[in-house]
Amino acid sequence: MSDSSECDPSGPETSQAKLRIPTAATPLVPRDRLLSTLDERVASAPVVVVTGPAGCGKTTLLAEWARRRDDRVAWLTLDEHDNTPARLRAAVRDALALTGTVPLAEPGFSSAVVAAFDRAAASVCLVLDNVHEIRDPDALASIDLLTRQPPDRLRLVLLGRFPPPLHLARLHLEGRLREVLPHEFAFTRAETEALFAVHGLTLPPDDVDLLLRRTEGWIGGLRFAVMRLATTPARPDDLLMFAGLDQVVSRYLGEEVLARHTQRVRDLLVVTSVCDTMSADLAGALTRHSSPGVVLDALERTNSFVSRLDEEPEWYRCHPVLRAHLTAELRRSRPADEPALHQTAAHWYHRNNDPAVALRHALRAGDDQLVAEIVEHSVLPEVLREGSGRLHEVVDAVPGHVLAQPQVGIVAALVALDAGDVAAADRVLTGMGGQPRGLRQERVRVLHATALLRRGRFDARVGEAAQVMARTAAERAGTDAEVAALLNRGVAALLSGDHPAAEQDLLRASEIGRQERFDHAVLESQVHLAALTSASGDILTAARQAGEALEFAEEKGWQSLHVCALAYAVLGVQAYLRLDDERAADLAGRAVHALGDRRDPATGLAVSTLDAAVSFATAGDPRAVVGRVREQWRDVAGRRVTPPVITHIAPAVQRIALRSGDEQWASAMPEQVEAMFGPCGEQAVLRAVVHTHHARVSQARKVVEPLLSGELPALAAPTVVDGWLLEAVLVDRAGDQRRAHDAVTRALAAAEPVGALRPFFNAGKPVRDLLARGAGRFGRLEPFATTTMTSLPAASTASTDVLTSRERDLLLELPSMRTAEEIADSLFVSVNTVKTHLRGIYRKLGVNQRRDAVLAARRLGLI
C-alpha cells in the first residue's frame, strides 16, 4: 500500500500524547519480580514481545519499567490510525527523535533508522504499545524490517494483546527474541494483598483466596472488585461481577474483549458458556458452527480470555469473569435455550464416557429420565475407573424421586460409600428396607448385596452381608457389577478371616479390572491383597505389594486417596520392624493424611496404632498418644478388623501403654485382640507380658508355651519372635543359660526372614546381653545376630571412656581370633605393643581373657 504522504519528507504530525510514557490513574502495586524479568529479557535480546489480554496491566507495568530505566526509553502508543504506513513511520521517527531527513518510504526508512543508531552514542529502547492495532501489511513490513535487522544500540519492545503477524519464529530460533507471556502478569497472593492495602482494604485470607481463584489473578478483575468492596458492604463471594451482572464490568468486557469479534463468534461464546470447558466437537454440537475449532484457536491466540487446557490442549476454557458475563447474556437474551443446551451437553458427555459432567448438565436440564439413565449405566464404571471424587457431589444432587428407582438409588449409595458419606448411603439403603426381596433385576440384586457389603466396612460388621453376597451370582450382572461385587466380597472375606476366599475374589477383581481399565478397582484390590499377604505373616512380600500399589497410585495422582492409607500402614509396619524409625514416621504421617476423617474402623485402627507406636517416643504428651489409640481400640472391640498392623505391633503398643502407666488398658488388650481375631499367639504374648510385668514368671511361661510349641498359631511372624525372647529372658533369670541361648536362637530364626529387629529392641538390655554372650554360637544366624546386636542401644560405662585410640583399634580385631603376631602385622606395631594394649583392655573391661573381653565389648556396644 502506498500513500502520497510518503513523498513528503516531513510526513504527518505525531501527537505528543502518543509519545509520552503513560502515567497510572490508580496507585501502583510493586511488581519487582516482573520489572526484573523485563530488565533481564531486554538485556539478553534485541527484540522483546510482551503480550496479555485487556486489563492485565501490561501497559502500566511497561510504563513503570520505562520510568525506572537509566538509559533512554522512547515510547509510542499506536492506534488504528497508524495503519497508514507513512503515519506509522513518521510516528516511529518522532518517537526516536531522529534528526535530518528520514524517508518515509521503504526500504529507505528502515535503512535510515539503522544508520542513525549505528552512529548513536547511547542505546535507546523503543516501546511500541498496542502493536496489535497494526494490521496493514506495508506498515507491518516496516516493523518487521526493524526486528530482523535491529542496530546494536536499539532495543525493540513490542507490546500488545497478542503477537503481531511478523516473522518472529526466525528470531526465536536465532535466540534474538524474548517474550513476556500472559500468565506472567497474573497477580500473586502477595501482590493481591498489596493491591488491597494501597486502597485501604483488609480482607480475611479466605476472601483473598476466593478473589484470586475467581479472577485468576487478572488485575482488571481485581481492580473492579476493589472498586465495589471500597464502596459497598458486600462480601467478595457476593460481587455481581461473578454472576455476570455488574454493569461496569459487562460494559468493559463488551467494549474491550467482545466488540473485536464478529456476531457469529460472540454467539458461539454465549452458547458454549453453559460448559466449564469446551472442545471443537462439543462446541459444534452446541452451536452447529461449521468450524468451531478455528474460532476457538483464534480466540486463544489473540488472548481473548479463552485459553487452552495445559493437560488437554484440544480443550478450551473461558476466563471465569467472562464466562459469568456470557452466561448472564444467555439467560437475558435466550432464556428458553438454556435447558436445551444443557441437555445437548449432557448427551454429548454421556456418549463420550464422562458421566460426572453429563449428569451435572442433565440435572440442570431437568431431564429426570436422562439423569436416571446416566446413573444406572455410566456411574458405576466411572467409580471403578476413577473413584468417586468427581461424582459424589453431583450424584448427591439427584432428586429423591429419581433415587427411589432401585437401579438408580443403589448406584448412588455405592458412590456415597466410596466417598465415605455413610449418611447419604443409609438414606437410600434404608428406603429399600435393607433386604433384596422385591428387587427383580439380577443386576440390582447384585449391586444391593454389594452395597450392603461395602456398608459393613464402616462398622466392621460384614457377616450377614457376606452371606447375602455368597448367594449372589455376580458374573451375570454385568462386568462393572461383577468387579464391584468381587472386590467388596474379597475385602469382607479378609475382614472375616477367610483368607483363601479373599485371595480368590481380590485376584479375580484385579484381573478383570485390568482388562476393563477399572484402575481404581485395581488399586483397591492391590492394596487389600497386600494387607492379605501381611495378615498371612509374610510382611516382606506384603511390603513389596503395597509399594507396587502406591507406585500405581502415584502414576494416577491418587497417592492421597483413602485407599492408600492401608498401603502406607503396611509399608510403615515393615519400616518399624526394621528399626527404620524415620521412614516409619514418614509413612505413618502419609497414612494419617490419606485416611483423613473417614469413618473406617479397620483401616483407622491400623493407622492409629502405627502412628501411636512411631510417635510415642518423641511426643510432647505421650499419655495423649496412648489415650487416642486406646479409644479406637475400644470402639472396635468385638468387631472384625484387618489384622496386618494390629498383630505386628500390638506388643509394642502394649509396652507404650505400660510405660505411660496405663496398666488397665495393657491388661485389657489380650481380650480385645481375642475379640478381634479369636484365639491367637498375639493374645498369648500380650497376656504373658502382663504376667511378667507383675513378676508372675511361671504364669507368663505357661501362657506363652502353646505359641512356642506351635499349638497356638500366630498371625504375624514378629509375635513368635516376641514369644521366644520372652522365654529367653525368663529362663535366663532362672539361671538356665543353655535354654536361654536356645530361645534366643529360635527368636533369631523367626526374625531373620522378615528382618524383624523391633522385638529385640523392645526386649532391651537383657536380650542384648544374651546376644553378646552367645556370639559365635548362632551358626548360620551369626550374621543376623551380629546385625541385630549392633542395632540395639548399649549401656555406656566409665571404663569405655578411658580406652585409648590404639586400644579401641585392637578391640575391633579381637573377634577375628587371629594371633597376636597377625594382629601386630595388620596394625603395623610390635607383638609386645599388642600384648601391652591387651592387658590394658582386660583391666579396663574387668576381664581376664580374650573371649570375655569380646563378650564384654559386645555387651557394651563397643564392637
PDB file of all heavy atoms in Angstrom, residues 159-188:
ATOM      1  N   LEU A 159       4.543  -4.357  22.406  1.00  0.00           N
ATOM      2  CA  LEU A 159       3.594  -4.549  23.492  1.00  0.00           C
ATOM      3  C   LEU A 159       2.181  -4.583  22.922  1.00  0.00           C
ATOM      4  O   LEU A 159       1.747  -3.633  22.256  1.00  0.00           O
ATOM      5  CB  LEU A 159       3.736  -3.396  24.497  1.00  0.00           C
ATOM      6  CG  LEU A 159       2.811  -3.332  25.689  1.00  0.00           C
ATOM      7  CD1 LEU A 159       2.977  -4.562  26.564  1.00  0.00           C
ATOM      8  CD2 LEU A 159       3.099  -2.077  26.505  1.00  0.00           C
ATOM      9  N   GLY A 160       1.449  -5.704  23.168  1.00  0.00           N
ATOM     10  CA  GLY A 160       0.102  -5.794  22.626  1.00  0.00           C
ATOM     11  C   GLY A 160      -0.677  -6.944  23.242  1.00  0.00           C
ATOM     12  O   GLY A 160      -0.165  -7.720  24.042  1.00  0.00           O
ATOM     13  N   ARG A 161      -1.909  -7.069  22.831  1.00  0.00           N
ATOM     14  CA  ARG A 161      -2.762  -8.140  23.365  1.00  0.00           C
ATOM     15  C   ARG A 161      -2.378  -9.502  22.801  1.00  0.00           C
ATOM     16  O   ARG A 161      -2.636 -10.519  23.441  1.00  0.00           O
ATOM     17  CB  ARG A 161      -4.236  -7.835  23.056  1.00  0.00           C
ATOM     18  CG  ARG A 161      -4.742  -6.617  23.802  1.00  0.00           C
ATOM     19  CD  ARG A 161      -6.216  -6.407  23.603  1.00  0.00           C
ATOM     20  NE  ARG A 161      -6.650  -5.195  24.285  1.00  0.00           N
ATOM     21  CZ  ARG A 161      -7.879  -4.698  24.225  1.00  0.00           C
ATOM     22  NH1 ARG A 161      -8.800  -5.331  23.501  1.00  0.00           N
ATOM     23  NH2 ARG A 161      -8.189  -3.593  24.868  1.00  0.00           N
ATOM     24  N   PHE A 162      -1.813  -9.490  21.606  1.00  0.00           N
ATOM     25  CA  PHE A 162      -1.337 -10.738  21.020  1.00  0.00           C
ATOM     26  C   PHE A 162      -0.159 -10.397  20.112  1.00  0.00           C
ATOM     27  O   PHE A 162       0.011  -9.240  19.694  1.00  0.00           O
ATOM     28  CB  PHE A 162      -2.451 -11.450  20.239  1.00  0.00           C
ATOM     29  CG  PHE A 162      -3.209 -10.574  19.288  1.00  0.00           C
ATOM     30  CD1 PHE A 162      -2.743 -10.364  17.990  1.00  0.00           C
ATOM     31  CD2 PHE A 162      -4.393  -9.955  19.678  1.00  0.00           C
ATOM     32  CE1 PHE A 162      -3.438  -9.548  17.114  1.00  0.00           C
ATOM     33  CE2 PHE A 162      -5.091  -9.137  18.797  1.00  0.00           C
ATOM     34  CZ  PHE A 162      -4.617  -8.932  17.501  1.00  0.00           C
ATOM     35  N   PRO A 163       0.668 -11.375  19.812  1.00  0.00           N
ATOM     36  CA  PRO A 163       1.848 -11.094  18.988  1.00  0.00           C
ATOM     37  C   PRO A 163       1.442 -10.581  17.611  1.00  0.00           C
ATOM     38  O   PRO A 163       0.505 -11.107  16.993  1.00  0.00           O
ATOM     39  CB  PRO A 163       2.552 -12.450  18.890  1.00  0.00           C
ATOM     40  CG  PRO A 163       2.031 -13.248  20.042  1.00  0.00           C
ATOM     41  CD  PRO A 163       0.632 -12.779  20.251  1.00  0.00           C
ATOM     42  N   PRO A 164       2.119  -9.585  17.084  1.00  0.00           N
ATOM     43  CA  PRO A 164       1.798  -9.082  15.745  1.00  0.00           C
ATOM     44  C   PRO A 164       2.200 -10.102  14.692  1.00  0.00           C
ATOM     45  O   PRO A 164       3.087 -10.931  14.918  1.00  0.00           O
ATOM     46  CB  PRO A 164       2.645  -7.802  15.635  1.00  0.00           C
ATOM     47  CG  PRO A 164       3.797  -8.041  16.571  1.00  0.00           C
ATOM     48  CD  PRO A 164       3.242  -8.857  17.703  1.00  0.00           C
ATOM     49  N   PRO A 165       1.572 -10.073  13.514  1.00  0.00           N
ATOM     50  CA  PRO A 165       1.897 -11.049  12.453  1.00  0.00           C
ATOM     51  C   PRO A 165       3.208 -10.716  11.758  1.00  0.00           C
ATOM     52  O   PRO A 165       3.233 -10.322  10.591  1.00  0.00           O
ATOM     53  CB  PRO A 165       0.691 -10.943  11.514  1.00  0.00           C
ATOM     54  CG  PRO A 165       0.190  -9.550  11.698  1.00  0.00           C
ATOM     55  CD  PRO A 165       0.424  -9.204  13.133  1.00  0.00           C
ATOM     56  N   LEU A 166       4.292 -10.839  12.478  1.00  0.00           N
ATOM     57  CA  LEU A 166       5.622 -10.593  11.949  1.00  0.00           C
ATOM     58  C   LEU A 166       6.362 -11.921  11.835  1.00  0.00           C
ATOM     59  O   LEU A 166       5.875 -12.962  12.264  1.00  0.00           O
ATOM     60  CB  LEU A 166       6.389  -9.641  12.871  1.00  0.00           C
ATOM     61  CG  LEU A 166       5.701  -8.313  13.206  1.00  0.00           C
ATOM     62  CD1 LEU A 166       6.513  -7.538  14.223  1.00  0.00           C
ATOM     63  CD2 LEU A 166       5.494  -7.487  11.933  1.00  0.00           C
ATOM     64  N   HIS A 167       7.571 -11.878  11.284  1.00  0.00           N
ATOM     65  CA  HIS A 167       8.385 -13.086  11.137  1.00  0.00           C
ATOM     66  C   HIS A 167       9.190 -13.296  12.419  1.00  0.00           C
ATOM     67  O   HIS A 167      10.411 -13.075  12.464  1.00  0.00           O
ATOM     68  CB  HIS A 167       9.309 -12.957   9.913  1.00  0.00           C
ATOM     69  CG  HIS A 167       8.588 -12.892   8.617  1.00  0.00           C
ATOM     70  ND1 HIS A 167       8.071 -11.711   8.099  1.00  0.00           N
ATOM     71  CD2 HIS A 167       8.251 -13.866   7.720  1.00  0.00           C
ATOM     72  CE1 HIS A 167       7.473 -11.942   6.943  1.00  0.00           C
ATOM     73  NE2 HIS A 167       7.568 -13.248   6.683  1.00  0.00           N
ATOM     74  N   LEU A 168       8.479 -13.715  13.479  1.00  0.00           N
ATOM     75  CA  LEU A 168       9.124 -13.836  14.789  1.00  0.00           C
ATOM     76  C   LEU A 168       9.733 -15.223  15.019  1.00  0.00           C
ATOM     77  O   LEU A 168      10.606 -15.365  15.873  1.00  0.00           O
ATOM     78  CB  LEU A 168       8.105 -13.544  15.897  1.00  0.00           C
ATOM     79  CG  LEU A 168       7.458 -12.151  15.857  1.00  0.00           C
ATOM     80  CD1 LEU A 168       6.434 -12.016  16.985  1.00  0.00           C
ATOM     81  CD2 LEU A 168       8.501 -11.059  15.946  1.00  0.00           C
ATOM     82  N   ALA A 169       9.273 -16.224  14.268  1.00  0.00           N
ATOM     83  CA  ALA A 169       9.774 -17.580  14.501  1.00  0.00           C
ATOM     84  C   ALA A 169      11.274 -17.660  14.258  1.00  0.00           C
ATOM     85  O   ALA A 169      12.010 -18.326  14.993  1.00  0.00           O
ATOM     86  CB  ALA A 169       9.040 -18.579  13.611  1.00  0.00           C
ATOM     87  N   ARG A 170      11.748 -16.973  13.233  1.00  0.00           N
ATOM     88  CA  ARG A 170      13.184 -16.998  12.940  1.00  0.00           C
ATOM     89  C   ARG A 170      13.989 -16.347  14.061  1.00  0.00           C
ATOM     90  O   ARG A 170      15.058 -16.831  14.432  1.00  0.00           O
ATOM     91  CB  ARG A 170      13.440 -16.288  11.613  1.00  0.00           C
ATOM     92  CG  ARG A 170      14.908 -16.282  11.209  1.00  0.00           C
ATOM     93  CD  ARG A 170      15.095 -15.676   9.835  1.00  0.00           C
ATOM     94  NE  ARG A 170      16.497 -15.624   9.476  1.00  0.00           N
ATOM     95  CZ  ARG A 170      16.962 -15.151   8.314  1.00  0.00           C
ATOM     96  NH1 ARG A 170      16.102 -14.708   7.394  1.00  0.00           N
ATOM     97  NH2 ARG A 170      18.258 -15.132   8.056  1.00  0.00           N
ATOM     98  N   LEU A 171      13.455 -15.258  14.595  1.00  0.00           N
ATOM     99  CA  LEU A 171      14.141 -14.605  15.726  1.00  0.00           C
ATOM    100  C   LEU A 171      14.203 -15.539  16.921  1.00  0.00           C
ATOM    101  O   LEU A 171      15.211 -15.597  17.638  1.00  0.00           O
ATOM    102  CB  LEU A 171      13.414 -13.309  16.100  1.00  0.00           C
ATOM    103  CG  LEU A 171      13.385 -12.210  15.043  1.00  0.00           C
ATOM    104  CD1 LEU A 171      12.628 -11.005  15.572  1.00  0.00           C
ATOM    105  CD2 LEU A 171      14.791 -11.819  14.643  1.00  0.00           C
ATOM    106  N   HIS A 172      13.114 -16.260  17.153  1.00  0.00           N
ATOM    107  CA  HIS A 172      13.094 -17.269  18.229  1.00  0.00           C
ATOM    108  C   HIS A 172      14.222 -18.266  18.027  1.00  0.00           C
ATOM    109  O   HIS A 172      14.989 -18.581  18.937  1.00  0.00           O
ATOM    110  CB  HIS A 172      11.757 -18.015  18.213  1.00  0.00           C
ATOM    111  CG  HIS A 172      10.801 -17.559  19.273  1.00  0.00           C
ATOM    112  ND1 HIS A 172      11.101 -17.571  20.620  1.00  0.00           N
ATOM    113  CD2 HIS A 172       9.534 -17.078  19.175  1.00  0.00           C
ATOM    114  CE1 HIS A 172      10.066 -17.126  21.302  1.00  0.00           C
ATOM    115  NE2 HIS A 172       9.095 -16.812  20.445  1.00  0.00           N
ATOM    116  N   LEU A 173      14.301 -18.810  16.814  1.00  0.00           N
ATOM    117  CA  LEU A 173      15.277 -19.841  16.514  1.00  0.00           C
ATOM    118  C   LEU A 173      16.699 -19.322  16.696  1.00  0.00           C
ATOM    119  O   LEU A 173      17.588 -20.046  17.162  1.00  0.00           O
ATOM    120  CB  LEU A 173      15.068 -20.346  15.083  1.00  0.00           C
ATOM    121  CG  LEU A 173      15.995 -21.475  14.613  1.00  0.00           C
ATOM    122  CD1 LEU A 173      15.771 -22.726  15.449  1.00  0.00           C
ATOM    123  CD2 LEU A 173      15.741 -21.769  13.128  1.00  0.00           C
ATOM    124  N   GLU A 174      16.919 -18.064  16.324  1.00  0.00           N
ATOM    125  CA  GLU A 174      18.262 -17.484  16.403  1.00  0.00           C
ATOM    126  C   GLU A 174      18.592 -16.955  17.792  1.00  0.00           C
ATOM    127  O   GLU A 174      19.699 -16.451  18.014  1.00  0.00           O
ATOM    128  CB  GLU A 174      18.386 -16.355  15.368  1.00  0.00           C
ATOM    129  CG  GLU A 174      18.277 -16.846  13.926  1.00  0.00           C
ATOM    130  CD  GLU A 174      18.199 -15.702  12.919  1.00  0.00           C
ATOM    131  OE1 GLU A 174      18.019 -14.539  13.363  1.00  0.00           O
ATOM    132  OE2 GLU A 174      18.291 -15.974  11.711  1.00  0.00           O
ATOM    133  N   GLY A 175      17.654 -17.045  18.715  1.00  0.00           N
ATOM    134  CA  GLY A 175      17.906 -16.572  20.073  1.00  0.00           C
ATOM    135  C   GLY A 175      17.911 -15.063  20.201  1.00  0.00           C
ATOM    136  O   GLY A 175      18.482 -14.522  21.154  1.00  0.00           O
ATOM    137  N   ARG A 176      17.268 -14.366  19.257  1.00  0.00           N
ATOM    138  CA  ARG A 176      17.280 -12.893  19.272  1.00  0.00           C
ATOM    139  C   ARG A 176      15.922 -12.319  19.705  1.00  0.00           C
ATOM    140  O   ARG A 176      15.673 -11.130  19.519  1.00  0.00           O
ATOM    141  CB  ARG A 176      17.657 -12.356  17.892  1.00  0.00           C
ATOM    142  CG  ARG A 176      19.076 -12.757  17.489  1.00  0.00           C
ATOM    143  CD  ARG A 176      19.568 -11.996  16.274  1.00  0.00           C
ATOM    144  NE  ARG A 176      18.835 -12.327  15.070  1.00  0.00           N
ATOM    145  CZ  ARG A 176      18.293 -11.433  14.236  1.00  0.00           C
ATOM    146  NH1 ARG A 176      18.391 -10.146  14.512  1.00  0.00           N
ATOM    147  NH2 ARG A 176      17.653 -11.820  13.155  1.00  0.00           N
ATOM    148  N   LEU A 177      15.073 -13.171  20.283  1.00  0.00           N
ATOM    149  CA  LEU A 177      13.768 -12.701  20.742  1.00  0.00           C
ATOM    150  C   LEU A 177      13.461 -13.305  22.099  1.00  0.00           C
ATOM    151  O   LEU A 177      13.724 -14.481  22.349  1.00  0.00           O
ATOM    152  CB  LEU A 177      12.684 -13.079  19.734  1.00  0.00           C
ATOM    153  CG  LEU A 177      11.256 -12.623  20.066  1.00  0.00           C
ATOM    154  CD1 LEU A 177      10.542 -12.181  18.798  1.00  0.00           C
ATOM    155  CD2 LEU A 177      10.458 -13.746  20.721  1.00  0.00           C
ATOM    156  N   ARG A 178      12.911 -12.487  22.974  1.00  0.00           N
ATOM    157  CA  ARG A 178      12.425 -12.942  24.268  1.00  0.00           C
ATOM    158  C   ARG A 178      10.967 -12.521  24.395  1.00  0.00           C
ATOM    159  O   ARG A 178      10.517 -11.567  23.750  1.00  0.00           O
ATOM    160  CB  ARG A 178      13.237 -12.332  25.424  1.00  0.00           C
ATOM    161  CG  ARG A 178      14.712 -12.702  25.412  1.00  0.00           C
ATOM    162  CD  ARG A 178      14.921 -14.144  25.791  1.00  0.00           C
ATOM    163  NE  ARG A 178      16.343 -14.467  25.871  1.00  0.00           N
ATOM    164  CZ  ARG A 178      17.078 -14.887  24.850  1.00  0.00           C
ATOM    165  NH1 ARG A 178      16.528 -15.023  23.648  1.00  0.00           N
ATOM    166  NH2 ARG A 178      18.357 -15.150  25.000  1.00  0.00           N
ATOM    167  N   GLU A 179      10.224 -13.232  25.274  1.00  0.00           N
ATOM    168  CA  GLU A 179       8.799 -12.946  25.445  1.00  0.00           C
ATOM    169  C   GLU A 179       8.455 -12.776  26.921  1.00  0.00           C
ATOM    170  O   GLU A 179       9.081 -13.393  27.793  1.00  0.00           O
ATOM    171  CB  GLU A 179       7.947 -14.081  24.880  1.00  0.00           C
ATOM    172  CG  GLU A 179       7.976 -14.187  23.373  1.00  0.00           C
ATOM    173  CD  GLU A 179       7.042 -15.272  22.878  1.00  0.00           C
ATOM    174  OE1 GLU A 179       7.411 -16.452  22.954  1.00  0.00           O
ATOM    175  OE2 GLU A 179       5.929 -14.929  22.439  1.00  0.00           O
ATOM    176  N   VAL A 180       7.463 -11.958  27.183  1.00  0.00           N
ATOM    177  CA  VAL A 180       6.773 -11.922  28.467  1.00  0.00           C
ATOM    178  C   VAL A 180       5.346 -12.343  28.170  1.00  0.00           C
ATOM    179  O   VAL A 180       4.622 -11.651  27.449  1.00  0.00           O
ATOM    180  CB  VAL A 180       6.814 -10.529  29.121  1.00  0.00           C
ATOM    181  CG1 VAL A 180       6.088 -10.555  30.463  1.00  0.00           C
ATOM    182  CG2 VAL A 180       8.262 -10.059  29.311  1.00  0.00           C
ATOM    183  N   LEU A 181       4.963 -13.503  28.689  1.00  0.00           N
ATOM    184  CA  LEU A 181       3.710 -14.143  28.285  1.00  0.00           C
ATOM    185  C   LEU A 181       2.552 -13.766  29.214  1.00  0.00           C
ATOM    186  O   LEU A 181       2.777 -13.297  30.345  1.00  0.00           O
ATOM    187  CB  LEU A 181       3.914 -15.663  28.260  1.00  0.00           C
ATOM    188  CG  LEU A 181       4.975 -16.142  27.255  1.00  0.00           C
ATOM    189  CD1 LEU A 181       5.250 -17.620  27.432  1.00  0.00           C
ATOM    190  CD2 LEU A 181       4.533 -15.846  25.831  1.00  0.00           C
ATOM    191  N   PRO A 182       1.323 -13.988  28.768  1.00  0.00           N
ATOM    192  CA  PRO A 182       0.158 -13.543  29.550  1.00  0.00           C
ATOM    193  C   PRO A 182       0.123 -14.057  30.983  1.00  0.00           C
ATOM    194  O   PRO A 182      -0.214 -13.301  31.900  1.00  0.00           O
ATOM    195  CB  PRO A 182      -1.026 -14.080  28.734  1.00  0.00           C
ATOM    196  CG  PRO A 182      -0.522 -14.133  27.332  1.00  0.00           C
ATOM    197  CD  PRO A 182       0.922 -14.519  27.441  1.00  0.00           C
ATOM    198  N   HIS A 183       0.451 -15.342  31.207  1.00  0.00           N
ATOM    199  CA  HIS A 183       0.325 -15.890  32.553  1.00  0.00           C
ATOM    200  C   HIS A 183       1.269 -15.206  33.543  1.00  0.00           C
ATOM    201  O   HIS A 183       1.027 -15.230  34.747  1.00  0.00           O
ATOM    202  CB  HIS A 183       0.578 -17.396  32.528  1.00  0.00           C
ATOM    203  CG  HIS A 183       2.016 -17.759  32.308  1.00  0.00           C
ATOM    204  ND1 HIS A 183       2.554 -17.959  31.053  1.00  0.00           N
ATOM    205  CD2 HIS A 183       3.035 -17.939  33.194  1.00  0.00           C
ATOM    206  CE1 HIS A 183       3.832 -18.255  31.163  1.00  0.00           C
ATOM    207  NE2 HIS A 183       4.152 -18.250  32.439  1.00  0.00           N
ATOM    208  N   GLU A 184       2.332 -14.569  33.037  1.00  0.00           N
ATOM    209  CA  GLU A 184       3.275 -13.921  33.940  1.00  0.00           C
ATOM    210  C   GLU A 184       2.700 -12.651  34.566  1.00  0.00           C
ATOM    211  O   GLU A 184       3.236 -12.158  35.553  1.00  0.00           O
ATOM    212  CB  GLU A 184       4.584 -13.610  33.203  1.00  0.00           C
ATOM    213  CG  GLU A 184       5.296 -14.859  32.706  1.00  0.00           C
ATOM    214  CD  GLU A 184       6.622 -14.552  32.047  1.00  0.00           C
ATOM    215  OE1 GLU A 184       7.586 -14.258  32.788  1.00  0.00           O
ATOM    216  OE2 GLU A 184       6.697 -14.596  30.798  1.00  0.00           O
ATOM    217  N   PHE A 185       1.624 -12.117  33.990  1.00  0.00           N
ATOM    218  CA  PHE A 185       1.017 -10.904  34.538  1.00  0.00           C
ATOM    219  C   PHE A 185       0.029 -11.192  35.660  1.00  0.00           C
ATOM    220  O   PHE A 185      -0.418 -10.265  36.340  1.00  0.00           O
ATOM    221  CB  PHE A 185       0.305 -10.129  33.418  1.00  0.00           C
ATOM    222  CG  PHE A 185       1.238  -9.404  32.501  1.00  0.00           C
ATOM    223  CD1 PHE A 185       1.641  -9.988  31.317  1.00  0.00           C
ATOM    224  CD2 PHE A 185       1.739  -8.152  32.838  1.00  0.00           C
ATOM    225  CE1 PHE A 185       2.525  -9.341  30.469  1.00  0.00           C
ATOM    226  CE2 PHE A 185       2.614  -7.498  31.993  1.00  0.00           C
ATOM    227  CZ  PHE A 185       3.018  -8.083  30.807  1.00  0.00           C
ATOM    228  N   ALA A 186      -0.329 -12.448  35.858  1.00  0.00           N
ATOM    229  CA  ALA A 186      -1.290 -12.775  36.911  1.00  0.00           C
ATOM    230  C   ALA A 186      -0.748 -12.350  38.267  1.00  0.00           C
ATOM    231  O   ALA A 186       0.416 -12.606  38.601  1.00  0.00           O
ATOM    232  CB  ALA A 186      -1.588 -14.269  36.905  1.00  0.00           C
ATOM    233  N   PHE A 187      -1.577 -11.707  39.070  1.00  0.00           N
ATOM    234  CA  PHE A 187      -1.155 -11.251  40.394  1.00  0.00           C
ATOM    235  C   PHE A 187      -0.943 -12.442  41.322  1.00  0.00           C
ATOM    236  O   PHE A 187      -1.745 -13.379  41.337  1.00  0.00           O
ATOM    237  CB  PHE A 187      -2.229 -10.336  40.991  1.00  0.00           C
ATOM    238  CG  PHE A 187      -1.915  -8.864  40.819  1.00  0.00           C
ATOM    239  CD1 PHE A 187      -1.377  -8.394  39.635  1.00  0.00           C
ATOM    240  CD2 PHE A 187      -2.162  -7.955  41.835  1.00  0.00           C
ATOM    241  CE1 PHE A 187      -1.086  -7.053  39.463  1.00  0.00           C
ATOM    242  CE2 PHE A 187      -1.876  -6.608  41.682  1.00  0.00           C
ATOM    243  CZ  PHE A 187      -1.336  -6.155  40.492  1.00  0.00           C
ATOM    244  N   THR A 188       0.130 -12.377  42.081  1.00  0.00           N
ATOM    245  CA  THR A 188       0.355 -13.362  43.133  1.00  0.00           C
ATOM    246  C   THR A 188      -0.471 -12.980  44.356  1.00  0.00           C
ATOM    247  O   THR A 188      -1.077 -11.896  44.405  1.00  0.00           O
ATOM    248  CB  THR A 188       1.833 -13.409  43.523  1.00  0.00           C
ATOM    249  OG1 THR A 188       2.204 -12.144  44.089  1.00  0.00           O
ATOM    250  CG2 THR A 188       2.715 -13.711  42.312  1.00  0.00           C
TER     251      THR A 188
END
